[in-house]
Amino acid sequence: MASTQQVLTDCTLCYHSCGTRVTVEDGTAVKVEGLEGHPINDGQLCPKGEAALTHIYSPNRIKTPLKKVDGKFVPVSWEQALDEIAAKLLKLKEEFGPSVLGVFSGSIGVENLEMAQLTQRFKAAFGSPNFFSVESICYRMRIRTRQITFGKYPTEELDSKLYILWGHNPDASDFPLKLALERNLAKGAKLVVIDPRRIPLADQADMYLKIRPGTDGAMAMAMMHVIIKEDLVDHDFVDKHTSGYDKLVPHIEPFTPEWAEEITWVPADKIRELARMFATTKGASIYQGTCTQDQTAGGTQNSRAFSVLQTITGNINVPGGWVISPRPHFGNVGLNVEGDPLGMDEYPLFIEVWGRKSPYGVITMVPEAIPDKLKAFYVVGGNPLVSMADSNAFRESFRRLDLLVVHDMFMTETAQEAHYVLPACSHLEKWGLAYTYNVCHCLPFLMLRKKAIEPIGESWSEWKVFTELAKRLGLGDQFPWQSEEELIQFELGPSGITFEQMLNEQPEGLYYGKKKYEVRDGIFATPTGKIKIYSSALEHVGANPLPVYIEPERSPKRSSKEFLEKYPLILSTGHRNYYYVHSQFRGVDALKAETPDPVAEVGMATGTQYGLATGDDIIIETNRGKVRMKVALDERVAEGCIFVPHGWSGEANANLLTDTDCREEILGYPDVKSLMCSVSKAA
């Protein structure tokens, strides 16, 4: 008789951690559904979540450790692979010191806490400060900028009275927000879309504003100008809870809507209309694109401008605004280590503010640091040769490494360059914790990620790999947990919640804290306890302490005449697709049927100007490289621009076009949203 089990767990494809119900028959997962009642997705899943089992049971999974011999991969035992990796690391450490090791985690820690924390622990136990992750180009800037403004990280609620989707397309990239919009627009919430592409949601919007890529900061400054000049400021909130407003008032004088119109393409009267709508709505939120405003020349200042807009309108810690939610109190799996990660000298604010240090290094500096500073690299759950800016630079530098190890489920482009490839477990093959703090007007949520099936082939979890590798490096005492379950209990320790409670009493998850809509003394953890409109932290590193607009380094307004003659079109890379997550799921036939080809988007007039027609194969070129894609001409796309999707490999990899030398000046992020390129029909 068949044994059937229902496992309540979560999805790790993105930071939302949607709840899932997995049906397991005789040890095989046969069905995955959305978990009813889960506060994020309430029984629904995006197509990627629905296709999880096809992904997990793919015949293309790596199922045994591989070693590259004479340019080809051959299967080896785990014992041989780990023995040889450890021997090489010890030799490099003895000769050059521990900091020559760099590690990369494909998780920021929200969607896979154990992956990120164990990777941090491993590098610190080894003695290296050089931890890198996708946060070097995604989300950390937003977190850091809000931290230096509010002392903590307030997040946008899912329920709001006014949604300003600023370079954000939930239909393609934010499933829970998509569901919340459907729910709240029907109740009368207002919607504004600011985007150079008229995304489908714009058709439901109260306002749609077509903006030039990379100029978001100019529009935000103009909105500030209107709100202050028309006295739409929440003075009671500003007077009680902020510092620096007196300096902001004269600062915004030049940044009129007319000034912004010339820069942004957005009409001045529309900027005024939006500023008034935003300032007079209590419970309004700006929803930044996941990377849209960060990956530009003015990334930090863009996020600062949004923070100040939320502040001067009093849309902080109110329902529907930005809210500081309680975070879970977990046991710290990471370790401290002496020394600073790569980038401390050039971008110190990325790593430290007010004496609070983060473990992250600046990944845009990695290619130039190999092999002088970095000689070995360990990559877990990521594909930096596709996902990081300037794939050409990363590939060339990774080929100079003495040791490259990749721990992954599939043979990615990064894995193809490795000396050793180690088979990884999917989220259904290991234990973990899932948490979220951005749940409407509800409470923050915690769930046990349950091991539903046994590892496929010889796949190992991060805990097992790092534990066994540490033993061979003489660091076994630094990984004291005898099982994944014991590790999870350690993480849960400070919360007072037990593993058994999460497994048997509340397998559907539980609320771990109470969200309070209040503004009180001590809630803003800045040195003064006030929201920092004028940022001393930015001033300390030589940056403007008040928000300013920074024109993209490579743009129609800053580039030379000769450069623009060669590269006349504005290039924005990285727009997302509903059926993929970055470079993941490209091998799932059902999803490939929905989006089989990489398609660049251009406006109708621009396409006609260059002799293009929808469906043509085209070549897009920048100063760094070229890609081949198909093209779609669309009247909903801003003219003079070309929008390129990310995550495709081979000759369609968007990061063949981007440049690690083109960086934001404060936190070192790459500018990949506002470059210049040429386009031509492929021969």
Side-chain angles (χ1 to χ4, degrees), residues 585-618:
F585 279 72
R586 305 286 169 166
V588 176
D589 290 340
L591 301 180
K592 286 172 64 178
E594 298 290 343
T595 307
D597 299 304
V599 178
E601 300 175 18
V602 300
M604 298 293 294
T606 302
T608 300
Q609 177 184 350
Y610 288 92
L612 308 178
T614 294
D616 283 348
D617 289 319
I618 61 170

Tab-separated table of all heavy atoms in Angstrom, residues 585-618:
chain	number	residue	atom	x	y	z
A	585	PHE	N	15.446	27.927	-13.775
A	585	PHE	CA	14.254	27.375	-14.425
A	585	PHE	C	14.319	27.441	-15.950
A	585	PHE	O	13.321	27.201	-16.614
A	585	PHE	CB	12.985	28.088	-13.923
A	585	PHE	CG	12.510	27.571	-12.595
A	585	PHE	CD1	13.200	27.861	-11.432
A	585	PHE	CD2	11.392	26.783	-12.502
A	585	PHE	CE1	12.786	27.382	-10.214
A	585	PHE	CE2	10.953	26.291	-11.282
A	585	PHE	CZ	11.655	26.590	-10.135
A	586	ARG	N	15.486	27.720	-16.491
A	586	ARG	CA	15.595	27.814	-17.947
A	586	ARG	C	15.437	26.450	-18.618
A	586	ARG	O	15.193	26.389	-19.815
A	586	ARG	CB	16.954	28.423	-18.323
A	586	ARG	CG	17.225	29.782	-17.668
A	586	ARG	CD	16.429	30.885	-18.294
A	586	ARG	NE	16.485	32.115	-17.501
A	586	ARG	CZ	16.104	33.305	-17.938
A	586	ARG	NH1	15.636	33.435	-19.167
A	586	ARG	NH2	16.162	34.362	-17.156
A	587	GLY	N	15.554	25.376	-17.841
A	587	GLY	CA	15.438	24.049	-18.433
A	587	GLY	C	14.084	23.395	-18.249
A	587	GLY	O	13.913	22.225	-18.593
A	588	VAL	N	13.106	24.133	-17.728
A	588	VAL	CA	11.767	23.574	-17.513
A	588	VAL	C	10.932	23.809	-18.767
A	588	VAL	O	10.633	24.948	-19.127
A	588	VAL	CB	11.097	24.217	-16.285
A	588	VAL	CG1	9.672	23.697	-16.115
A	588	VAL	CG2	11.919	23.947	-15.027
A	589	ASP	N	10.559	22.736	-19.442
A	589	ASP	CA	9.894	22.846	-20.741
A	589	ASP	C	8.613	23.662	-20.682
A	589	ASP	O	8.329	24.464	-21.580
A	589	ASP	CB	9.604	21.458	-21.307
A	589	ASP	CG	10.860	20.717	-21.743
A	589	ASP	OD1	11.886	21.399	-21.957
A	589	ASP	OD2	10.814	19.481	-21.865
A	590	ALA	N	7.805	23.466	-19.636
A	590	ALA	CA	6.531	24.185	-19.548
A	590	ALA	C	6.749	25.695	-19.457
A	590	ALA	O	5.960	26.481	-19.998
A	590	ALA	CB	5.744	23.693	-18.334
A	591	LEU	N	7.821	26.109	-18.797
A	591	LEU	CA	8.117	27.533	-18.678
A	591	LEU	C	8.784	28.058	-19.947
A	591	LEU	O	8.519	29.187	-20.388
A	591	LEU	CB	8.998	27.786	-17.458
A	591	LEU	CG	8.386	27.345	-16.118
A	591	LEU	CD1	9.339	27.652	-14.968
A	591	LEU	CD2	7.035	28.000	-15.887
A	592	LYS	N	9.640	27.230	-20.545
A	592	LYS	CA	10.271	27.629	-21.810
A	592	LYS	C	9.234	27.818	-22.902
A	592	LYS	O	9.390	28.666	-23.792
A	592	LYS	CB	11.299	26.581	-22.236
A	592	LYS	CG	12.588	26.605	-21.429
A	592	LYS	CD	13.485	25.428	-21.766
A	592	LYS	CE	13.961	25.461	-23.189
A	592	LYS	NZ	14.875	24.329	-23.488
A	593	ALA	N	8.142	27.065	-22.846
A	593	ALA	CA	7.086	27.217	-23.845
A	593	ALA	C	6.434	28.592	-23.749
A	593	ALA	O	5.970	29.141	-24.756
A	593	ALA	CB	6.035	26.127	-23.664
A	594	GLU	N	6.407	29.162	-22.545
A	594	GLU	CA	5.822	30.491	-22.362
A	594	GLU	C	6.773	31.589	-22.832
A	594	GLU	O	6.338	32.593	-23.390
A	594	GLU	CB	5.476	30.702	-20.879
A	594	GLU	CG	4.454	29.728	-20.329
A	594	GLU	CD	3.060	29.967	-20.893
A	594	GLU	OE1	2.820	31.067	-21.445
A	594	GLU	OE2	2.216	29.063	-20.778
A	595	THR	N	8.061	31.418	-22.578
A	595	THR	CA	9.071	32.398	-22.992
A	595	THR	C	10.259	31.638	-23.554
A	595	THR	O	11.254	31.406	-22.864
A	595	THR	CB	9.511	33.283	-21.810
A	595	THR	OG1	8.356	33.864	-21.203
A	595	THR	CG2	10.427	34.410	-22.281
A	596	PRO	N	10.202	31.228	-24.821
A	596	PRO	CA	11.260	30.367	-25.366
A	596	PRO	C	12.533	31.112	-25.747
A	596	PRO	O	13.596	30.488	-25.836
A	596	PRO	CB	10.597	29.764	-26.611
A	596	PRO	CG	9.567	30.772	-27.009
A	596	PRO	CD	9.067	31.383	-25.742
A	597	ASP	N	12.427	32.433	-25.981
A	597	ASP	CA	13.579	33.169	-26.501
A	597	ASP	C	13.836	34.437	-25.692
A	597	ASP	O	12.907	35.042	-25.150
A	597	ASP	CB	13.340	33.581	-27.961
A	597	ASP	CG	13.137	32.399	-28.883
A	597	ASP	OD1	14.027	31.527	-28.918
A	597	ASP	OD2	12.086	32.341	-29.545
A	598	PRO	N	15.086	34.860	-25.634
A	598	PRO	CA	15.389	36.173	-25.061
A	598	PRO	C	14.939	37.262	-26.033
A	598	PRO	O	15.334	37.268	-27.200
A	598	PRO	CB	16.916	36.154	-24.915
A	598	PRO	CG	17.375	35.189	-25.961
A	598	PRO	CD	16.295	34.164	-26.101
A	599	VAL	N	14.108	38.177	-25.554
A	599	VAL	CA	13.531	39.196	-26.425
A	599	VAL	C	13.832	40.579	-25.875
A	599	VAL	O	13.459	40.903	-24.739
A	599	VAL	CB	12.007	39.010	-26.571
A	599	VAL	CG1	11.411	40.116	-27.439
A	599	VAL	CG2	11.680	37.634	-27.161
A	600	ALA	N	14.515	41.388	-26.673
A	600	ALA	CA	14.744	42.783	-26.340
A	600	ALA	C	13.569	43.618	-26.846
A	600	ALA	O	12.993	43.325	-27.888
A	600	ALA	CB	16.044	43.274	-26.968
A	601	GLU	N	13.224	44.650	-26.098
A	601	GLU	CA	12.077	45.480	-26.443
A	601	GLU	C	12.531	46.870	-26.860
A	601	GLU	O	13.362	47.489	-26.182
A	601	GLU	CB	11.127	45.590	-25.255
A	601	GLU	CG	10.574	44.249	-24.786
A	601	GLU	CD	9.727	44.379	-23.540
A	601	GLU	OE1	9.292	45.505	-23.225
A	601	GLU	OE2	9.511	43.363	-22.866
A	602	VAL	N	11.974	47.364	-27.959
A	602	VAL	CA	12.238	48.731	-28.415
A	602	VAL	C	10.919	49.347	-28.860
A	602	VAL	O	9.946	48.647	-29.167
A	602	VAL	CB	13.254	48.779	-29.575
A	602	VAL	CG1	14.584	48.182	-29.167
A	602	VAL	CG2	12.713	48.084	-30.807
A	603	GLY	N	10.888	50.691	-28.910
A	603	GLY	CA	9.713	51.401	-29.381
A	603	GLY	C	9.521	51.224	-30.881
A	603	GLY	O	10.454	50.879	-31.614
A	604	MET	N	8.304	51.482	-31.340
A	604	MET	CA	7.973	51.286	-32.752
A	604	MET	C	8.830	52.165	-33.653
A	604	MET	O	9.402	51.690	-34.643
A	604	MET	CB	6.491	51.588	-32.974
A	604	MET	CG	5.547	50.683	-32.215
A	604	MET	SD	5.598	48.965	-32.787
A	604	MET	CE	4.927	49.147	-34.438
A	605	ALA	N	8.913	53.446	-33.329
A	605	ALA	CA	9.662	54.368	-34.184
A	605	ALA	C	11.150	54.043	-34.172
A	605	ALA	O	11.823	54.113	-35.214
A	605	ALA	CB	9.430	55.810	-33.735
A	606	THR	N	11.666	53.679	-33.006
A	606	THR	CA	13.090	53.331	-32.904
A	606	THR	C	13.389	52.089	-33.735
A	606	THR	O	14.385	52.035	-34.465
A	606	THR	CB	13.475	53.094	-31.435
A	606	THR	OG1	13.178	54.255	-30.671
A	606	THR	CG2	14.954	52.763	-31.309
A	607	GLY	N	12.536	51.082	-33.637
A	607	GLY	CA	12.739	49.874	-34.428
A	607	GLY	C	12.703	50.149	-35.914
A	607	GLY	O	13.534	49.641	-36.684
A	608	THR	N	11.745	50.964	-36.325
A	608	THR	CA	11.636	51.309	-37.743
A	608	THR	C	12.876	52.071	-38.213
A	608	THR	O	13.397	51.829	-39.317
A	608	THR	CB	10.381	52.159	-37.977
A	608	THR	OG1	9.228	51.407	-37.576
A	608	THR	CG2	10.243	52.535	-39.448
A	609	GLN	N	13.373	52.967	-37.369
A	609	GLN	CA	14.560	53.754	-37.707
A	609	GLN	C	15.758	52.854	-38.016
A	609	GLN	O	16.563	53.160	-38.903
A	609	GLN	CB	14.905	54.695	-36.547
A	609	GLN	CG	16.166	55.525	-36.756
A	609	GLN	CD	16.501	56.365	-35.526
A	609	GLN	OE1	15.706	56.470	-34.588
A	609	GLN	NE2	17.677	56.969	-35.529
A	610	TYR	N	15.856	51.725	-37.308
A	610	TYR	CA	16.999	50.827	-37.495
A	610	TYR	C	16.654	49.622	-38.369
A	610	TYR	O	17.418	48.652	-38.418
A	610	TYR	CB	17.527	50.381	-36.127
A	610	TYR	CG	18.237	51.506	-35.406
A	610	TYR	CD1	17.540	52.325	-34.532
A	610	TYR	CD2	19.580	51.776	-35.641
A	610	TYR	CE1	18.178	53.383	-33.881
A	610	TYR	CE2	20.222	52.828	-34.998
A	610	TYR	CZ	19.512	53.633	-34.125
A	610	TYR	OH	20.151	54.677	-33.495
A	611	GLY	N	15.533	49.691	-39.055
A	611	GLY	CA	15.176	48.635	-40.002
A	611	GLY	C	14.825	47.316	-39.367
A	611	GLY	O	15.054	46.254	-39.961
A	612	LEU	N	14.234	47.360	-38.169
A	612	LEU	CA	13.924	46.139	-37.437
A	612	LEU	C	12.436	45.834	-37.498
A	612	LEU	O	11.599	46.737	-37.619
A	612	LEU	CB	14.344	46.284	-35.967
A	612	LEU	CG	15.779	46.742	-35.691
A	612	LEU	CD1	16.000	46.869	-34.190
A	612	LEU	CD2	16.782	45.792	-36.316
A	613	ALA	N	12.110	44.574	-37.370
A	613	ALA	CA	10.730	44.127	-37.275
A	613	ALA	C	10.630	43.099	-36.167
A	613	ALA	O	11.593	42.367	-35.888
A	613	ALA	CB	10.263	43.527	-38.600
A	614	THR	N	9.487	43.041	-35.518
A	614	THR	CA	9.282	42.077	-34.440
A	614	THR	C	9.622	40.660	-34.910
A	614	THR	O	9.189	40.223	-35.975
A	614	THR	CB	7.833	42.129	-33.947
A	614	THR	OG1	7.601	43.408	-33.332
A	614	THR	CG2	7.553	41.035	-32.922
A	615	GLY	N	10.415	39.971	-34.110
A	615	GLY	CA	10.848	38.618	-34.446
A	615	GLY	C	12.218	38.541	-35.070
A	615	GLY	O	12.799	37.450	-35.174
A	616	ASP	N	12.765	39.696	-35.489
A	616	ASP	CA	14.109	39.697	-36.068
A	616	ASP	C	15.153	39.307	-35.030
A	616	ASP	O	15.007	39.601	-33.837
A	616	ASP	CB	14.465	41.096	-36.593
A	616	ASP	CG	13.801	41.423	-37.913
A	616	ASP	OD1	13.245	40.511	-38.537
A	616	ASP	OD2	13.830	42.609	-38.311
A	617	ASP	N	16.213	38.678	-35.490
A	617	ASP	CA	17.396	38.502	-34.662
A	617	ASP	C	18.227	39.773	-34.756
A	617	ASP	O	18.456	40.295	-35.859
A	617	ASP	CB	18.219	37.308	-35.143
A	617	ASP	CG	17.547	35.985	-34.839
A	617	ASP	OD1	16.981	35.853	-33.739
A	617	ASP	OD2	17.561	35.099	-35.708
A	618	ILE	N	18.664	40.267	-33.606
A	618	ILE	CA	19.418	41.514	-33.588
A	618	ILE	C	20.706	41.349	-32.795
A	618	ILE	O	20.859	40.421	-32.001
A	618	ILE	CB	18.591	42.668	-32.977
A	618	ILE	CG1	18.211	42.343	-31.510
A	618	ILE	CG2	17.352	42.957	-33.817
A	618	ILE	CD1	17.617	43.511	-30.763
